[in-house]
């Protein structure tokens, strides 16, 4: 193809991806996030009603709730009537969204270096995976574990220094919730560090000599792409739901262990819809298939699921408040992580079981890893921040978030290496 024609085509792709023809994107002008404070158990029935209301959406239950300008007065009246204290945490959501899209320069030539300090589309990230595999042929392998509902390829990057079949394996996944952009951005940066520092940094060299890292950057490709093209705040997959006009399932409620219990909605319009049945979502099924099959060849010793926001390290269980047998071990590892994170910039994380720190959530990745696959170390993290920007973390926080998270991860991975049976 002639250079000029290719150039024109590139340009038209750039225009579409950048959303310059933008007007089909959902707008959130004047939408606000309110922070509810001083909550106690007496507020619970009211909060559960609020959670079920289709007018308001919790960004972080039970603390942060989003409202449209039209419904704000009603929400305020409800909060006052139920003695809930609150303040405005985010003044205008659309302004933060605009800042994120605008910070994304598509004007750069395609061959320019990948910019780790900004957010990227699914297609840019998929390109990065292939480029990176080509750049580090001795340390990587790239392969597909299948396609998403809308037929996007789910490429896994395997990182490790030798290809003995029996090395213990680590599974690191990000982007299962579409709008949590900092999750893949952090994972990409960390993956690059592992590769770049191998041979120069003893700790990383030892880790890559010991483990195979299986890295899935975007676990929910359709949802992620949709946050770029249509709705920045989309969370779920994009599968069609039988008998409903609402799209998508919460992929982190669709895992085949204790599926369908508390904290996973049976309603397709809910943000935490569990799906029609366990593994109804092809994206989750692809991961389960791969880990199950590969787990017969090598031992998975860690499952790590990266989310945002609220700065937390999360252990099992999600589906019950009962503590598992390995609770003490999980808490020790959590402590290692949060101390290491803190040592970078003083960012404070809390740690504990999902059901203690967040809420009861059934059918999540962590419970499947620990309960079904018997992977002792099965965790989730919620990255920055604690709500000032929520899902709309500005790009100038990408690298600091990645740096501190990587410190935490290194502490955990090294602990695992030192404690291999
Ligand atoms: Zn999430």
């Amino acid at each position: 193809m002639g250079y000029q024609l290719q150039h024109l085509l590139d340009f038209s792709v750039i225009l579409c991806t950048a959303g310059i023809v933008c007007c089909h994107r959902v707008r959130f002008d004047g939408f606000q996030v309110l922070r509810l404070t001083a909550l106690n158990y007496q507020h619970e029935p009211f909060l559960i009603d609020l959670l079920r209301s289709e007018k308001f959406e919790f960004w972080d239950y039970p603390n942060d709730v989003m409202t449209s300008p039209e419904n704000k007065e009603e929400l305020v009246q409800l909060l006052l009537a139920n003695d809930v204290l609150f303040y405005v945490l985010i003044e205008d959501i659309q302004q933060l969204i605009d800042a994120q899209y605008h910070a994304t320069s598509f004007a750069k030539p395609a061959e320019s270096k990948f910019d780790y300090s900004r957010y990227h589309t699914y297609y840019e990230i998929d390109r990065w995976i292939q480029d990176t595999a080509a750049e580090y042929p001795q340390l990587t392998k790239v392969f597909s574990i299948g396609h998403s509902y809308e037929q996007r390829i789910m490429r896994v990057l395997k990182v490790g220094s030798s290809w003995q079949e029996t090395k213990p394996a680590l599974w690191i996944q990000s982007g299962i919730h579409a709008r949590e952009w900092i999750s893949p951005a952090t994972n990409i940066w960390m993956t690059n560090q592992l590769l770049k520092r191998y041979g120069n940094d003893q700790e990383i060299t030892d880790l890559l000599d010991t483990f195979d890292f299986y890295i899935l950057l975007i676990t929910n490709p359709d949802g992620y792409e949709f946050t770029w093209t249509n709705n920045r705040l989309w969370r779920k997959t994009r599968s069609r739901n039988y008998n409903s006009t609402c799209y998508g399932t919460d992929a982190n409620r669709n895992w085949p262990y204790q599926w369908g219990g508390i904290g996973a909605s049976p309603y397709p319009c809910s943000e935490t819809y569990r799906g029609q049945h366990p593994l109804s979502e092809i994206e989750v099924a692809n991961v389960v298939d791969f880990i199950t099959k590969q787990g017969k060849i090598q031992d998975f010793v860690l499952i790590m699921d990266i989310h945002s926001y609220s700065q937390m390290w999360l252990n099992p269980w999600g589906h019950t408040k009962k503590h598992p047998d390995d609770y003490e071990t999980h808490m020790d590892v959590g402590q290692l992580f949060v101390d290491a994170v803190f040592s970078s910039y003083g960012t404070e994380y809390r740690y504990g079981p999902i059901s203690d720190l967040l809420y009861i959530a059934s059918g999540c990745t962590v419970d499947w890893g620990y309960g079904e696959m018997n992977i002792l170390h099965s965790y989730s993290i919620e990255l920055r921040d604690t709500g000032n920007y929520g899902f709309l973390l500005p790009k100038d926080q990408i690298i600091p978030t990645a740096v501190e998270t990587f410190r935490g991860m290194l502490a955990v991975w090294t602990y695992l290496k030192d404690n291999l049976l």
Side-chain angles (χ1 to χ4, degrees):
M1 194 180 296
Y3 171 78
Q4 275 193 323
L5 179 57
Q6 179 63 56
H7 203 69
L8 265 176
L9 284 175
D10 283 348
F11 189 64
S12 61
V13 169
I14 287 163
L15 277 179
C16 298
T17 334
I20 293 167
V21 194
C22 67
C23 303
H24 55 276
R25 268 194 199 145
V26 179
R27 294 190 60 85
F28 293 87
D29 298 283
F31 278 62
Q32 295 189 329
V33 176
L34 304 191
R35 164 70 50 93
L36 317 186
T37 65
L39 297 171
N40 61 49
Y41 70 95
Q42 286 174 322
H43 294 122
E44 210 172 325
F46 161 68
L47 291 168
I48 289 171
D49 278 352
L50 198 59
L51 182 64
R52 288 187 183 143
S53 151
E54 283 183 14
K55 282 191 182 162
F56 310 106
E57 192 203 323
F58 274 95
W59 274 26
D60 181 21
Y61 180 82
N63 302 302
D64 300 345
V65 63
M66 175 172 79
T67 174
S68 67
E70 297 75 37
N71 293 332
K72 186 179 171 187
E73 190 50 37
E74 184 182 336
L75 178 59
V76 167
Q77 291 308 325
L78 282 169
L79 294 171
L80 292 174
N82 287 279
D83 294 322
V84 175
L85 302 177
F86 65 92
Y87 60 90
V88 176
L89 186 64
I90 297 180
E91 200 67 54
D92 183 354
I93 290 173
Q94 187 61 42
Q95 276 185 20
L96 297 185
I97 292 178
D98 288 344
Q100 281 199 323
Y101 285 136
H102 291 160
T104 303
S105 163
F106 285 89
K108 290 178 179 175
E111 67 273 14
S112 77
K113 270 179 82 85
F114 188 89
D115 182 354
Y116 292 91
S117 66
R118 70 170 181 83
Y119 296 108
H120 293 272
T121 65
Y122 161 84
Y123 294 101
E124 290 173 319
I125 292 170
D126 194 51
R127 179 80 259 153
W128 177 88
I129 295 170
Q130 295 171 74
D131 291 348
T132 302
E135 195 181 339
Y136 296 97
Q138 306 301 322
L139 294 176
T140 61
K141 270 186 187 168
V142 63
F143 57 92
S144 162
I145 56 166
H147 288 79
S148 67
Y149 184 85
E150 293 175 348
Q151 296 303 311
R152 291 186 179 85
I153 195 160
M154 294 174 71
R155 249 183 270 273
V156 166
L157 193 62
K158 178 183 183 182
V159 174
S161 63
S162 71
W163 304 117
Q164 310 151 7
E165 295 239 299
T166 52
K167 280 170 88 184
L170 315 178
W171 178 260
I172 319 286
Q173 78 180 29
S174 46
I176 195 170
H177 286 148
R179 62 192 173 189
E180 299 165 7
W181 282 8
I182 188 60
S183 158
T186 296
N187 206 5
I188 294 165
W189 188 89
M190 295 196 301
T191 305
N192 185 52
Q193 294 297 306
L194 287 177
L195 293 166
K196 219 169 78 173
R197 294 203 216 162
Y198 181 80
N200 309 314
D201 177 314
Q202 196 57 50
E203 186 179 18
I204 287 169
T205 307
D206 289 346
L207 286 169
L208 265 61
D209 288 344
T210 306
F211 295 118
D212 284 335
F213 290 74
Y214 289 93
I215 297 161
L216 177 59
L217 293 172
I218 305 182
T219 309
N220 171 10
D222 303 343
Y224 186 77
E225 192 54 19
F226 195 71
T227 60
W228 283 85
T229 54
N230 292 67
N231 181 346
R232 175 63 188 86
L233 295 177
W234 191 257
R235 164 186 169 100
K236 301 191 284 181
T237 61
R238 290 293 300 160
S239 56
R240 310 295 179 271
N241 287 314
Y242 176 70
N243 247 352
S244 170
T245 52
C246 292
Y247 282 57
T249 285
D250 184 344
N252 203 29
R253 300 291 185 278
N254 194 239
W255 296 73
Y257 182 78
Q258 295 289 331
W259 176 87
I262 303 173
S265 174
Y267 306 111
C269 295
S270 165
E271 288 290 350
T272 56
Y273 178 48
R274 63 194 185 188
Q276 276 229 311
H277 52 82
L279 297 182
S280 60
E281 301 316 284
I282 183 70
E283 298 82 2
V284 179
N286 287 338
V287 175
V288 166
D289 270 2
F290 172 72
I291 296 179
T292 307
K293 280 190 195 126
Q294 193 61 28
K296 296 192 171 111
I297 300 166
Q298 53 188 150
D299 271 346
F300 279 85
V301 296
L302 172 73
I303 288 201
M304 195 76 235
D305 185 27
I306 305 173
H307 292 251
S308 75
Y309 62 96
S310 60
Q311 294 173 199
M312 284 179 195
W313 167 275
L314 298 163
N315 346 318
W317 294 109
H319 73 278
T320 172
K321 284 201 177 279
K322 227 180 93 190
H323 288 168
D325 293 345
D326 300 298
Y327 174 77
E328 299 296 335
T329 308
H330 295 157
M331 294 301 277
D332 288 348
V333 180
Q335 171 104 55
L336 278 177
F337 178 84
V338 304
D339 287 351
V341 168
F342 185 81
S343 73
S344 299
Y345 308 111
T347 305
E348 292 184 28
Y349 268 58
R350 292 185 290 147
Y351 64 102
I354 298 169
S355 54
D356 284 357
L357 253 53
L358 283 178
Y359 35 70
I360 295 185
S362 299
C364 60
T365 316
V366 169
D367 281 12
W368 173 79
Y370 181 67
E372 184 73 27
M373 299 303 286
N374 295 312
I375 299 168
L376 167 60
H377 299 286
S378 185
Y379 306 114
S380 169
I381 47 174
E382 298 278 355
L383 301 175
R384 290 191 191 186
D385 57 8
T386 53
N388 288 331
Y389 296 98
F391 305 116
L392 306 171
L393 197 69
K395 68 168 194 154
D396 61 7
Q397 289 199 45
I398 295 175
I399 303 288
T401 302
V403 167
E404 69 193 10
T405 307
F406 193 55
R407 277 245 189 143
M409 290 285 192
L410 284 177
V412 172
W413 296 335
T414 297
Y415 165 89
L416 295 179
K417 176 177 75 66
D418 295 343
N419 288 279
L420 279 174
L421 293 176

